[in-house]
Amino acid sequence: MSHCNALVIGTGPAGLMAAEELARAGCRVTVAEAKPSVGRKFLMAGKSGLNLTKDEPASMFNSAYADAAAWLQPMLAKFDARAVQDWARGLGQDLFTGSSGRVFPVAMKASPLLRAWLARLDGLGVARQTRWRWTGWTECGAARFDTPHGLQELAADVTVLALGGASWARLGSDGAWAEILAARGVELAAFAPSNVGINLDWSAHMAPHLGAALKSVRWQAGDLSSRGEATISRRGLEGGGVYALTPALRAGATLSVDLVPDLTAEVLTKRLASKGAKVRLSHWLRNGLRLPPAKLALFFEMTQGAPLPREKWVATLKALPVRTAGLRPMDEAISTAGGVARRSLDDGLMLRAIPGVFCAGEMLDWDAPTGGYLLTACLATGRWAGRAAAQVAKVR
């Protein structure tokens, strides 16, 4: 059995941030990762452009975390969107802010930032172990790992768990840790998919539109609405516009879409009134409103081509019911809700049932839409847990 001051299990953004804070506090830190390389989900997230955070007022930013906003607020206040940007620039990354307020590296990839970050951790003396899969603790409290060289045991003064949620298992977030913690008396909230695609049973009518984007639309589900695009995929709808509505859809809310959000019902009614009584619905949508093919296809797919009374044309355009067939599987979700319950943790994110063990990142029970909120909270909770763990390590 070997020993270190601080052990971090998981090398996503939360884990690496915790390791950095512990090392800066003077702890001898080891990070352990089950996969052959670190930060796999982080790298995957950056494939289509690494959205680091969102530049908007703190009140708007915090509201994205819904019921967990009050819990996360102190952590986000200490490492907010501005701090995330300063941190990335400190790692040599030039940034830009898009028209929506989303902040990206100019490189539009996660790999340069991750390389710079790992170099910084190397300089701080952080040791890394890959292909070390955590399987729990020994009777004496040492962490137990399955490794290519057999069973390894590592005792630590403090441990930070940053094991992710329960999606994208092939990248390391498989949620297997839940059984280990539950067996030790840690209260958990059930995992549920978040930021995930929607299943729809398309007819053959939709085949020519697969891959097309639905733009300039507003989606609605329950109390949630989202002005964002979605792509028509073979299995349904994908994209930020519908991802943001996952909490309401999980709760059983129905989905609708406003295909012309920039035109009020009053304006549409007046435009329709100016047309002759014999105008056909398809002609008005195509030539009068100039709806693009993807929107036209969705409209007639959802109305099933049934005759629609003229007096319902406008209302249907403004709130077209979308007949979903449920959410995509949890392992395909960008993130998951559920995890370690707030009351299982003290104010420093230490487990009440297992003193000296802290949790951070997506394994905590909070939820947020895409758009920089996920990554910012992972970094903020990792920093918070790392600093709290460093204080406990010093006390010991």
Side-chain angles (χ1 to χ4, degrees):
M1 182 190 301
S2 54
H3 178 270
C4 63
N5 295 132
L7 170 64
V8 177
I9 306 177
T11 61
L16 295 181
M17 184 60 79
E20 180 173 343
E21 293 299 327
L22 284 159
R24 289 189 183 282
C27 293
R28 184 162 51 88
V29 183
T30 295
V31 295
E33 168 59 49
K35 294 297 181 179
S37 58
V38 305
R40 289 195 163 196
K41 191 173 180 182
F42 181 58
L43 290 171
M44 178 62 75
K47 269 198 161 185
S48 58
L50 181 65
N51 187 184
L52 286 171
T53 190
K54 192 169 185 182
D55 190 359
E56 63 185 3
S59 59
M60 291 179 60
F61 192 94
N62 292 344
S63 68
Y65 301 95
D67 294 341
W71 179 27
L72 297 177
Q73 192 279 328
M75 306 173 214
L76 294 168
K78 292 293 185 180
F79 202 73
D80 59 10
R82 182 64 59 186
V84 171
Q85 294 175 68
D86 291 341
W87 165 79
R89 291 190 181 99
L91 287 169
Q93 303 305 299
D94 293 326
L95 309 177
F96 74 93
T97 303
S99 58
S100 65
R102 297 184 179 193
V103 180
F104 301 85
V106 171
M108 290 296 287
K109 294 188 294 185
S111 51
L113 188 150
L114 181 60
R115 284 195 299 269
W117 199 1
L118 293 177
R120 175 186 285 179
L121 294 176
D122 290 342
L124 290 169
V126 174
R128 294 198 300 273
Q129 298 287 354
T130 55
R131 300 182 190 271
W132 277 37
R133 183 171 183 81
W134 179 62
T135 60
W137 291 281
T138 65
E139 291 185 3
C140 65
R144 187 173 56 237
F145 298 91
D146 284 336
T147 80
H149 304 291
L151 177 66
Q152 298 289 329
E153 297 176 0
L154 181 59
D157 297 330
V158 292
T159 299
V160 177
L161 301 178
L163 294 159
S167 64
W168 290 78
R170 66 186 178 87
L171 300 179
S173 298
D174 58 11
W177 53 265
E179 291 186 8
I180 299 173
L181 295 190
R184 295 291 297 269
V186 176
E187 184 178 352
L188 306 172
F191 290 121
S194 189
N195 295 297
V196 67
I198 298 169
N199 287 317
L200 284 101
D201 297 322
W202 300 124
S203 71
H205 165 75
M206 294 297 291
H209 307 283
L210 299 182
L214 295 161
K215 301 181 179 181
S216 298
V217 293
R218 182 179 295 279
W219 306 90
Q220 186 78 38
D223 294 332
L224 296 181
S225 65
S226 171
R227 179 74 183 260
E229 67 180 66
T231 298
I232 300 171
S233 71
R234 180 176 56 84
R235 298 178 297 187
L237 293 170
E238 303 278 350
V242 294
Y243 291 165
L245 306 181
T246 308
L249 295 171
R250 282 199 311 257
T254 57
L255 177 66
S256 65
V257 60
D258 182 348
L259 294 175
V260 283
D262 296 322
L263 297 175
T264 66
E266 291 180 350
V267 168
L268 287 169
T269 299
K270 288 179 180 178
R271 290 192 181 185
L272 180 57
S274 69
K275 302 298 180 181
K278 294 184 178 181
V279 66
R280 291 180 302 162
L281 174 59
S282 59
H283 185 273
W284 183 57
L285 296 178
R286 181 180 294 106
N287 299 328
L289 297 181
R290 299 188 182 280
L291 291 190
K295 286 187 179 182
L296 282 170
L298 183 66
F299 183 94
F300 289 112
E301 178 77 4
M302 292 300 113
T303 57
Q304 298 181 318
L308 192 65
R310 182 171 175 137
E311 61 270 19
K312 292 186 178 181
W313 292 4
V314 170
T316 305
L317 263 177
K318 296 296 289 180
L320 177 68
V322 179
R323 302 183 310 277
T324 69
L327 300 174
R328 295 297 306 158
M330 185 158 59
D331 194 50
E332 296 180 18
I334 292 175
S335 60
T336 50
V340 179
R342 178 180 180 178
R343 52 181 165 267
S344 294
L345 302 150
D346 69 9
D347 290 341
L349 298 181
M350 183 171 71
L351 289 170
R352 299 183 189 278
I354 316 176
V357 177
F358 298 74
C359 297
E362 200 181 326
M363 67 184 297
L364 304 178
D365 181 22
W366 56 271
D367 194 7
T370 57
Y373 305 109
L374 292 169
L375 183 52
T376 298
C378 285
L379 293 169
T381 57
R383 179 180 182 274
W384 189 270
R387 290 195 165 195
Q391 291 299 314
V392 171
K394 287 182 179 179
V395 170
R396 292 187 175 186

